[in-house]
Amino acid sequence: MDFRNVQLPREIHTGKGVLNEIPNLCEKLLIPDNITIVTGPTTKKIAADYVLDLLVDKGYDVDEIIIKKGTQDTVDKVVEESKGSNAIFGIGGGRVIDVSKMAATNNKIPLISVPTTAAHDGIVSPRASIKNEDGSVSLEVDAPFALIADTGIISQAPYRFLASGYADIISNLTAVEDWKLANKLINDPYSDSAAALATLTAHTLMDQADVVRLGNCVSAEVVVKALISSGIAISIAGNSRPASGSEHKFSHALDIIAPHPALHGEQCGVGTIMMMYLQGGDWRCVRDALIKVNAPVNAKELGIDDEYIIQALLKAHTIRHERYTILGDRGLTYEAAQNIATKTKVI
């Protein structure tokens, strides 16, 4: 299944100040005059207003939509309001980019992904996470037509987001092991290329923990490049298997159970520690890397009660039940979940 129907961005621009390349990029990609910018209340001030001015100065007709939620209702609103547009610019964090990907796919127009944080690997992947009454659902979408990741802006975001993106990439390690297991036990289609890229990206980022923890422009560049590689692995696989396994199931369960969930990547990082223990891998090495970049490694640092961790472990196997992982079909007993969380120092 390697390299079949792989969707990749036409252009990827990373580095400090690359927002200024947007007008030339539009001209190069032959994007017509009508553009819709989708952003959030905060990211409007951080980057979207600047991009809007750049485009208007070059003669583009630009509409702006400000969103606050990543729900299907929000997607429907953006789809309707961007119907006359020739392209969508998603300028913001994960919620903004996921909604923008859905709307651009539905309207069959290109999306330019302009992340303002490096919190997760959705910036270039052909998947979108949309909130619903059961937490969230991961949907197949068209990959962004182009990516503009200004590391000058990304490095100014709270460091917590960078550490979250780091943790999301590290979770590739357990995701790939789950994928291998599913391939052996239920003949789940497997891509050597996608798995190798996802694993290499995670190991490379672990080796660069000392750089990431500085939280500067170079750190942002390192994490952004890893997020891009992980997104490309998802594109090669044709699904999110290279970057989403039992640790993501745990995170999604926490989203449902915990009154105040942490960031997606933070939860996946903690989940990776526990799932690596279950898989018989070097969970301590994962934990040490997360500690080095000041990412959460336990319930207290996530701001989540111990009991919610256990309950999420118990529920995790029911999330995306068709996706087989180390959790199996029956999941964990309460005693096993408590033991795993205790042994790995998560609780």
Side-chain angles (χ1 to χ4, degrees):
M1 64 178 291
D2 288 1
F3 304 113
R4 295 181 186 176
N5 301 317
V6 178
Q7 286 192 355
L8 300 173
R10 282 268 303 273
E11 298 267 342
I12 294 177
H13 295 241
T14 65
K16 188 175 182 179
V18 295
L19 280 191
N20 293 303
E21 298 175 12
I22 284 178
N24 290 336
L25 178 70
C26 289
E27 186 176 347
K28 181 179 180 180
L29 296 177
L30 303 177
I31 293 175
D33 293 342
N34 297 322
I35 291 173
T36 294
I37 288 177
V38 179
T39 190
T42 302
T43 51
K44 168 182 167 61
K45 301 171 185 176
I46 292 172
D49 283 346
Y50 184 72
V51 173
L52 188 149
D53 288 342
L54 285 174
L55 293 170
V56 169
D57 285 346
K58 289 295 183 178
Y60 287 92
D61 182 8
V62 185
D63 293 321
E64 187 179 63
I65 304 173
I66 299 173
I67 68 168
K68 296 181 180 180
K69 297 179 180 180
T71 62
Q72 186 59 50
D73 286 344
T74 304
V75 172
D76 294 341
K77 173 189 173 184
V78 175
V79 168
E80 185 62 32
E81 294 185 18
S82 63
K83 274 187 176 175
S85 297
N86 302 118
I88 291 177
F89 276 73
I91 305 176
R95 179 188 304 118
V96 165
I97 290 175
D98 282 344
V99 168
S100 299
K101 283 196 280 191
M102 284 291 298
T105 300
N106 288 348
N107 282 340
K108 295 180 172 58
I109 56 178
L111 167 72
I112 313 300
S113 174
V114 187
T116 55
T117 68
H120 70 84
D121 60 11
I123 58 176
V124 296
S125 74
R127 309 290 303 183
S129 182
I130 303 299
K131 297 288 184 184
N132 62 21
E133 62 277 2
D134 297 321
S136 65
V137 58
S138 178
L139 301 170
E140 184 176 352
V141 293
D142 293 336
F145 193 57
L147 170 72
I148 306 292
D150 193 317
T151 52
I153 289 173
I154 291 171
S155 65
Q156 294 303 307
Y159 175 77
R160 180 186 179 191
F161 290 107
L162 200 65
S164 176
Y166 179 95
D168 199 19
I169 295 299
I170 300 306
S171 74
N172 290 4
L173 297 174
T174 45
V176 168
E177 289 305 311
D178 280 329
W179 195 15
K180 289 178 181 177
L181 183 65
N183 175 250
K184 289 177 182 177
L185 296 184
I186 62 172
N187 201 32
D188 196 18
Y190 181 78
S191 165
D192 288 317
S193 304
L197 179 56
T199 304
L200 175 63
T201 300
H203 282 303
T204 300
L205 207 55
M206 288 181 72
D207 292 340
Q208 294 177 303
D210 288 331
V211 175
V212 172
R213 70 180 177 183
L214 297 176
N216 56 20
C217 207
V218 175
S219 304
E221 183 100 24
V222 166
V223 175
V224 165
K225 286 181 178 178
L227 295 173
I228 292 169
S229 293
S230 188
I232 289 173
I234 293 171
S235 292
I236 293 171
N239 57 59
S240 59
R241 267 296 199 176
S244 176
S246 50
E247 74 298 319
H248 272 62
K249 290 189 172 202
F250 165 76
S251 176
H252 292 316
L254 264 185
D255 287 340
I256 297 168
I257 292 169
H260 303 288
L263 293 177
H264 168 77
E266 292 177 331
Q267 295 180 167
C268 287
V270 171
T272 300
I273 296 171
M274 293 187 288
M275 299 309 153
M276 185 67 81
Y277 171 84
L278 266 182
Q279 293 170 350
D282 191 350
W283 62 271
R284 292 180 180 85
C285 184
V286 171
R287 187 175 186 272
D288 289 345
L290 293 173
I291 289 173
K292 192 172 286 189
V293 301
N294 202 31
V297 295
N298 56 48
K300 183 178 179 181
E301 291 172 358
L302 286 175
I304 294 174
D305 290 347
D306 290 356
E307 186 60 27
Y308 294 130
I309 298 292
I310 296 172
Q311 292 302 321
L313 284 171
L314 296 177
K315 185 178 180 61
H317 74 286
T318 69
I319 306 295
R320 297 199 68 179
H321 194 261
E322 78 286 354
R323 177 161 290 186
Y324 192 85
T325 70
I326 191 68
L327 296 169
D329 294 321
R330 297 175 63 182
L332 305 170
T333 64
Y334 187 94
E335 292 74 17
Q338 189 175 47
N339 180 61
I340 291 162
T342 302
K343 285 283 184 67
T344 57
K345 303 178 183 180
V346 171
I347 63 173

